Amino acid sequence: MQLTEYRTFGRTGLRVSPITLGTMNFGDPTWGADVKTSEAIIDHYLDAGGNTLDTANGYAEGRSEETIGGFLTKHPGRRDRVVLATKFAGSMFPGDPNGGGAGRKAIMHQVEASLNRLGTDYIDLYWLHNLDPHTPLEETLGTLDDLVRSGKIRYFGFSDTPAWAVARLVTISELRGWSAVAGIQVEYSLLERSVEGELFAAARALGLGVAPWSPLSGGVLSGKYTRTVHRPADSGRATMSDSQALPESTYVLLDELADIAKEVNTSIASVALAWVRGREEVTSTIIGARTVEQLDANLGSLDVEISAEHRARLDELTTVKLPFPFPLLESTVPLWQHAGATINGVAGPARRC
């Protein structure tokens, strides 16, 4: 796969790269990248054919958005060629009850502040950063619909939001004739697969785009961590002390990833990223980088294809036990409903009375 093999996001006409450049660490040299390095990373990503940048109002206390805005100001011809995504809900004003969240007052203030920091008059993809339990979903949706109609945002989606809320949000928007929900952002990696139950099912049923974040589990699957190296020198925010060593199951997975990487002549990180990218629900995987070299290494994962046998080996080590009613449905539906017939590739045993 190439970075320029764009996909439409959900049931929209928005074209995005299969890898999105995440910029959470931009403008924060303490663990991320300073402004000069951040601009070099953006430049390299766009030159390689990538077109999607992901940030949030609260990343580096607004400096991430400012860094992107500064870059686009220096390269004005690139703004309309970029899919610019940012998020709202994070409060920038400690003690102010309306400083964050997803109420109309908060959203209207947050979108203007983000537009100002980004140096643009519109946002391509506006994400709720995480569910606001204090605000009616209708209020959030209605406000986002108003922003689409006003031209300040083009599309919107929901990050870190339970499947029940995603389903309600999509249904409400459809029934009221409001702007459609474009997609969801979820944590997804070989070490976090619980979204394969409700959230991936919602995405399939409702036609939503899926943008996984932390596909390398905060760097744990980057190849830097081993049974003997618990604190790699270049570990960023995923640093652990010796007393926080990874569980044995993770070391077993890392060993398997290393074996597969050797078999296909690539890196552990590339195998882990290829596994995420190969999931049919995934539209664009969000990756971060602190250097141009890290970005190149992650983009190199697009050249990696893992076989069905490799995927099965990794699946066996990481499959999660989904909650009720998934196990019950898997065991009983073929028995009780199929009556010995094969439906959509699922064979049903003959039911015994």
Side-chain angles (χ1 to χ4, degrees), residues 334 338 341-348:
H338 293 195
T342 297
I343 303 173
N344 290 330
V346 179

Side-chain angles (χ1 to χ4, degrees), residues 72-227:
L72 293 174
T73 297
K74 295 174 185 176
H75 304 83
R78 281 184 149 168
R79 170 60 192 99
D80 288 335
R81 310 282 76 79
V82 168
V83 175
L84 185 54
T86 192
K87 308 179 192 73
F88 67 93
S91 178
M92 307 287 284
F93 305 96
D96 179 2
N98 290 302
R104 179 174 288 269
K105 177 177 173 62
I107 295 175
M108 288 299 192
H109 174 79
Q110 290 175 82
V111 73
E112 294 295 343
S114 285
L115 289 170
N116 183 59
R117 284 189 291 269
L118 290 165
T120 185
D121 57 3
Y122 71 97
I123 293 163
D124 294 294
L125 184 51
Y126 202 37
W127 293 99
L128 171 67
H129 208 152
N130 30 59
L131 181 68
D132 176 0
H134 309 293
T135 300
L137 300 181
E138 293 86 348
E139 181 176 341
T140 301
L141 268 177
T143 306
L144 292 171
D145 179 64
D146 288 344
L147 291 177
V148 171
R149 295 177 189 277
S150 71
K152 292 190 176 181
I153 68 174
R154 301 293 191 253
Y155 305 92
F156 60 83
F158 296 89
S159 173
D160 305 344
T161 297
W164 67 264
V166 171
R168 280 207 67 210
L169 287 159
V170 172
T171 302
I172 291 169
S173 67
E174 290 178 346
L175 291 177
R176 298 199 176 187
W178 288 346
S179 302
V181 179
I184 57 175
Q185 270 196 33
V186 297
E187 181 179 2
Y188 188 55
S189 72
L190 279 162
L191 291 176
E192 176 47 75
R193 297 181 57 184
S194 59
V195 296
E196 291 177 8
E198 298 283 4
L199 282 161
F200 274 10
R204 290 192 300 270
L206 302 172
L208 302 176
V210 176
W213 55 266
S214 199
L216 296 179
S217 192
V220 172
L221 302 178
S222 65
K224 294 181 291 187
Y225 290 87
T226 68
R227 292 179 182 275

